[in-house]
Amino acid sequence: MTPALVPELSVTDWRATQSVLHTLGFTTKYERPDEGFAYLTREGADLMIDQIGTGRDFDSNLTPPLGRGLNLQIRVTDAQSLYAAAQSANLPIPLPLEDKWYRTPAGQEGNRQFIAALPDGYLLRFYQDLGTKP
């Protein structure tokens, strides 16, 4: 079943972005090379990437860094191992691995999280649920 929300990221090099996403545990569900397009998935989180200037563009005047002001939060089962993989691949890490507790009406919810940057500047925040506390 396709999620209710699937972000599509306009990128300057879809193959390079796809490779980085594979490093971060995504697999390619399908691709259309003639359009510079790929649909990727990871533990129920789906993303599409589309190369600027190839296929259909909604805005061809984009320049990196792209996605300013937005990070996509993606739940994972093992943030620590994924963080190690991102470090081994020398990916930019704007937010190193941390345990963070957030206030909610019911108490606090914990995340083990980090942010990795894609080649064009999009930020992916990977988090592992640490549960709740009063």
Side-chain angles (χ1 to χ4, degrees), residues 55-70:
R56 184 172 59 173
D57 283 331
F58 299 107
D59 185 350
S60 59
N61 295 318
L62 299 173
T63 57
L66 302 173
R68 292 177 289 267
L70 169 75

Side-chain angles (χ1 to χ4, degrees), residues 19-101:
S19 178
V20 169
L21 288 168
H22 287 167
T23 298
L24 294 169
F26 282 85
T27 58
T28 300
K29 191 171 182 179
Y30 61 90
E31 60 185 37
R32 294 189 296 267
D34 57 317
E35 296 179 25
F37 174 89
Y39 190 112
L40 300 106
T41 186
R42 183 191 202 292
E43 294 185 52
D46 292 10
L47 282 177
M48 297 181 290
I49 56 173
D50 184 53
Q51 185 160 316
I52 299 165
T54 306
R56 184 172 59 173
D57 283 331
F58 299 107
D59 185 350
S60 59
N61 295 318
L62 299 173
T63 57
L66 302 173
R68 292 177 289 267
L70 169 75
N71 71 79
L72 300 174
Q73 182 171 280
I74 302 165
R75 185 180 60 242
V76 297
T77 55
D78 185 357
Q80 182 115 18
S81 293
L82 186 56
Y83 181 67
Q87 286 183 305
S88 292
N90 293 316
L91 297 180
I93 309 285
L95 176 69
L97 188 68
E98 67 174 7
D99 287 356
K100 180 75 174 170
W101 292 88

